[in-house]
Amino acid sequence: MDTNKPIIIGHRGAAGEAPENTLGSFRLAAEQGAHAVELDAHLSADGRLMVCHDATLDRTTDRSGWIGRMQAYEIREADAGVRFSEAYAGEKVPFLDEVFELLPAGMMINVEVKHAYGGKLAPVLLELLRRTDRLGSTVVSSFDHKLLAAIKKAEPAVRIGLLYAADLVDHAAYAASLGVDVYSLHPQHMLIGPDDTAEARRRGLEVYPYTANGEEELNRLIASGVSGIITDYPARLAALLAR
Ligand code: G3P
Ligand code: MG
């Protein structure tokens, strides 16, 4: 891989072309040349990590209800593909374990933790990362930076990534203020430019802006020297990078 080129991180898989956060979407992202995928995680009432963006099933499936108040078997009754298209009918809300099984062992998976679930999610996630030997290939990200710092303290081998949509004065200095080792910055893509990116990378941080989809913004990010781009369209980014 050309180290000057950003890696392609498929957002919720290839969410522009397949139902977000389904196995079909992750499979498509990998087929389209994504080097990594981003996904969102919640915890069911019986302690299983479920891959879904929202805290409820309402928007993305044919069922409704709060994931955190449902048993995994009930969540698995939902169809997570049919609302996107009939061609994807039968897709389920994946267990995080299933995504790990589907994608090649070394492929980077960016697990975005949406909620702390009262401190219950982190131990389940860390146990799964250890058991599946995924600590080295996963980046755990969140908008909840206190949660990330706690996760890093509980397991120093885990890689954490800061999600934010703020126009920070000094991105790398903010990361350093957490008091734990931060692996990557995940800024909203309009809120970081080439100078901030260069400084962050000089200080050892990976820079993975989210979520850029149009050719113009993808080209701007490529030129700005980011280490990866989170996109709903991995094939589109792959084509631009191949030019
Ligand atoms: O992880 C990047 C991006 O997914 C953060 O926002 O709402 O799409 O999960 P959201
Ligand atoms: Mg996300």
Side-chain angles (χ1 to χ4, degrees):
M1 197 192 307
D2 183 340
T3 49
N4 294 317
K5 287 187 178 181
I7 61 165
I8 301 167
I9 306 171
H11 185 234
R12 311 180 197 173
E17 299 181 70
E20 63 179 66
N21 283 323
T22 59
L23 294 185
S25 186
F26 300 125
R27 200 176 288 120
L28 182 63
E31 284 167 10
Q32 291 187 346
H35 306 99
V37 297
E38 186 265 3
L39 55 81
D40 307 286
H42 290 271
L43 193 69
S44 70
D46 52 343
R48 294 294 305 269
L49 285 161
M50 311 301 304
V51 179
C52 187
H53 180 273
D54 300 357
T56 72
L57 299 178
D58 304 25
R59 180 180 59 87
T60 54
T61 81
D62 62 347
R63 301 290 173 100
S64 64
W66 293 87
I67 291 171
R69 295 181 191 161
M70 297 171 79
Q71 306 289 312
Y73 82 86
E74 298 175 281
I75 297 163
R76 297 284 284 180
E77 286 169 1
D79 188 316
V82 71
R83 291 182 77 146
F84 185 87
S85 108
E86 278 294 337
Y88 281 100
E91 288 279 354
K92 294 183 187 307
V93 176
F95 291 119
L96 184 54
D97 325 32
E98 289 183 298
V99 186
F100 288 174
E101 278 163 27
L102 175 75
L103 298 174
M107 186 169 174
M108 183 177 122
I109 300 179
N110 172 199
V111 176
E112 182 189 347
V113 175
K114 284 296 186 191
H115 297 288
Y117 286 92
K120 288 192 184 136
L121 184 144
V124 177
L125 176 59
L126 290 175
E127 189 278 327
L128 180 63
L129 293 177
R130 292 184 194 113
R131 176 162 48 82
T132 56
D133 203 19
R134 279 278 180 184
L135 269 174
S137 57
T138 300
V139 177
V140 179
S141 67
S142 184
F143 288 99
D144 184 340
H145 300 174
K146 273 190 187 169
L147 172 62
L148 290 176
I151 288 175
K152 182 72 181 172
K153 279 178 190 152
E155 173 50 84
V158 80
R159 303 189 299 186
I160 59 167
L162 307 181
L163 270 165
Y164 53 97
D167 200 2
L168 297 180
V169 171
D170 186 334
H171 297 248
Y174 174 70
S177 77
L178 262 72
V180 293
D181 228 28
V182 171
Y183 180 77
S184 47
L185 302 177
H186 303 220
Q188 200 281 338
H189 72 91
M190 301 289 285
L191 296 174
I192 189 160
D195 293 347
D196 289 325
T197 296
E199 175 61 8
R201 295 199 69 186
R202 195 185 63 73
R203 290 166 71 167
L205 292 157
E206 303 293 348
V207 179
Y208 300 137
Y210 77 92
T211 298
N213 290 326
E215 285 203 12
E216 200 177 314
E217 60 202 30
L218 291 170
N219 279 326
R220 184 183 59 77
L221 289 170
I222 294 167
S224 79
V226 297
S227 19
I229 300 172
I230 300 175
T231 181
D232 291 324
Y233 296 92
R236 186 180 294 168
L237 178 52
L240 293 176
L241 289 170
R243 275 186 201 164

